[in-house]
Amino acid sequence: MCRHLGWLGEPVSVASLVLDPPDALLVQSYSPRLQKHGTMNADGWGAGFFDAGTPRRWRSAAPLWGDASFASVAPALRSGCVVAAVRSATVGMPIEPSASAPFTDGQWLLSHNGVVDRSVLPLSSAAESTVDSALLAALIFDRGLDALGDTIVEVGTADPNARLNIIAANGSRLLGTTWGDTLSILRRDDGVVLASEPYDDDPRWEEVPDRHLVDVSGASVELIALKGSS
Ligand code: GLN
C-alpha cells in the first residue's frame, strides 16, 4: 500500500506538508508507522498541486528520499490544494512515472492507496498507465467525483478483496475514502489535511472509520458512511 496526503486551505509550501514534518511522506517512504501491506514506499512518488486552478504534477519512479532536486524546489512551491503520494508497487504492476499518483483528468488530482483486480475495471484509453490505480482513476473521472462513494461501493462489490482508499482534490474540494486502510484528518487553523497516517503527534488528528467518504470544502468536513458498510 502506498501512503498519501491531501491539503485544502491557505497556500502553504509543498515541502511543509510532504518533507518537513517528523513523519512526513518523506519518512513514510522508508519508515511508515501504520502501514499493514508492504514495509517501504520506494517505487516512486508524486506531488500535485493547484496553481490558479490548474493542476500541476511532479512524478517519479524513484524513491522520494533520493530526490535532491525536489527537496530543493518544494519549499518554493506554494498552493492551497495539494495531493501527494509515495508508492509501494503492487506485484506485477509497472514501475514508471506515469504509474505514480496523483493521476489527473485536467480538473482533479487523485491518488489511490490499495489494490484492485483490473479485470473488474473497464479498459480505458484515458488511463495514464496500465497500473490498477490508473484504471480506477479513469473510471472515477468518467463517473464524476460526485459519484465517488457509489463508484467505490460498486468496485468494492465487484472485487471483495479490493482496497480502495482514495484522496482526490480539485482546488476547492478535497475528498477521501477509506476502504481497507487507514485515513486521518487534521483540522488546522489554516486548513485541513487528510493523510493515510498522521505526519506528526499533534493530538488533533482524528481517525476516519473504514468504509467512509470524507468531503472537505472550506472549513466544512463531512463524514459519510458508504453503502454496504457495517
Ligand atoms: N496498486 C497500486 C500500485 O501498484 C497502489 C499500490 C499501493 O497502494 N501500495 O501502484
Side-chain angles (χ1 to χ4, degrees), residues 19 26 29-30 41-42 45 60 62-72 86:
L19 303 178
L26 172 61
S29 68
Y30 55 83
N41 298 286
W45 59 273
S60 165
L64 178 57
W65 67 78
D67 203 318
S69 297
F70 178 68
S72 163
V86 290

Side-chain angles (χ1 to χ4, degrees), residues 90-91 93 112 114-123 130-137 139 154-164 179:
T90 300
V91 174
M93 298 294 166
H112 167 228
V115 63
V116 54
D117 181 346
R118 287 180 285 186
S119 69
V120 307
L121 299 173
L123 281 176
T130 56
V131 68
D132 57 352
S133 304
L135 294 176
L136 178 63
L139 176 67
E154 179 189 324
V155 174
T157 305
D159 175 7
N161 295 319
R163 298 191 297 271
L164 304 166
W179 193 280

Side-chain angles (χ1 to χ4, degrees), residues 7 11 25 30 45 55 59 66 84 90 107 114 119 124 186 211:
W7 167 255
L25 288 179
Y30 55 83
W45 59 273
R59 296 186 294 166
T90 300
Q107 304 276 319
S119 69
S124 167
L186 178 64
R211 300 200 172 192

Side-chain angles (χ1 to χ4, degrees), residues 184-222:
S184 292
I185 309 175
L186 178 64
R187 299 173 207 229
R188 296 184 357 187
D189 296 337
D190 57 348
V192 176
V193 184
L194 296 184
S196 317
E197 55 186 84
Y199 60 51
D200 63 14
D201 290 329
D202 191 319
R204 292 174 298 173
W205 284 101
E206 300 158 48
E207 257 181 62
V208 179
D210 196 32
R211 300 200 172 192
H212 275 67
L213 173 74
V214 186
D215 191 342
V216 184
S217 352
S220 125
V221 178
E222 212 181 335

Side-chain angles (χ1 to χ4, degrees), residues 157-189:
T157 305
D159 175 7
N161 295 319
R163 298 191 297 271
L164 304 166
N165 307 279
I166 302 291
I167 290 181
N170 69 352
S172 58
R173 196 169 168 206
L174 172 63
L175 301 173
T177 64
T178 50
W179 193 280
D181 205 341
T182 51
L183 184 71
S184 292
I185 309 175
L186 178 64
R187 299 173 207 229
R188 296 184 357 187
D189 296 337

